Amino acid sequence: MDFQILRRQPIEFFENKGVKYFKPFVALDKTKKPLKVYNLEDCQYSPPSIIAENHQGKFSSYEVYLDSNTRTMIGDSLAADPRNQGIGEVLNLAALMEFHKNKFNRFNLFSLKEAIQFYTRFGFKIINEDKGFILNNLKNVEKSKGAIFNELRKDVAFFKPRIEGKISSDDKYLNQRANDVFSNFLKELSRKHIKYNSSKIDHGTNMEFSDWEFEINRDYLNSLFDKHEINYKV
């Protein structure tokens, strides 16, 4: 099928076992070259995946599992070839598109520390109960420079002594609220195209995108759909 014919066409969906999947469509990578994007689901020899085929016939994939009973999506292995061409971004947008179309509640994944910033750009939040991990991240926000991070540094001043136990707190969501400070810090850096040194992060972590994040990140996500010429809005 001619890649060019499918560009900018409205995204269509089909349903299988109560889950909606997009039909094949064409997006553009970072260099404005076409990517054919499609689902590989219910295959006996392969996990359910979103596939992107570039103009050179190279394949990239994102293993995703959709559970209509728990209204949860789980992202597993994302592999882009070649890298740094915006293909991972297209794969993640395609996954978010299905998450949105199915009106699911949670999109969960585990990220290596090198990819945490990538996911925060879309609105994913760090989910971690390791106080050492949380404190290290807060301290790095505390060391940040520039007026754009003034509010986040104020947040650190509030959360850091409570995570350390110097100030008592019975807030059962304390760890998550503190994690959100670092998630928002990475998101801000990423959207300003500033690369964070991932070696400063202790280890990989669980991450989550809730359906509420569409409300917070709608304009940015829609700008990414437009950038890749994907005819979809959240």
Side-chain angles (χ1 to χ4, degrees), residues 174-203:
L174 179 67
N175 288 350
Q176 187 51 51
R177 292 170 65 200
N179 280 323
D180 288 351
V181 176
F182 190 57
S183 296
N184 290 331
F185 174 68
L186 291 181
K187 180 169 74 172
E188 186 69 26
L189 285 175
S190 186
R191 293 186 182 183
K192 293 185 179 299
H193 307 288
I194 301 171
K195 179 67 175 175
Y196 185 74
N197 184 355
S198 62
S199 68
K200 295 180 180 180
I201 303 174
D202 289 341
H203 48 69

Side-chain angles (χ1 to χ4, degrees), residues 37-89:
V37 186
Y38 57 93
N39 276 287
L40 186 66
E41 41 90 27
D42 278 350
C43 178
Q44 181 180 357
Y45 306 106
S46 177
S49 302
I50 295 171
I51 306 296
E53 179 186 353
N54 77 351
H55 67 289
Q56 297 174 319
K58 292 184 177 181
F59 293 88
S60 301
S61 64
Y62 190 11
E63 290 181 28
V64 289
Y65 301 85
L66 296 93
D67 188 336
S68 58
N69 293 321
T70 62
R71 311 200 64 74
T72 300
M73 188 172 194
I74 298 174
D76 198 349
S77 174
L78 192 158
D81 180 26
R83 300 183 64 183
N84 301 316
Q85 295 298 311
I87 300 174
E89 187 169 85

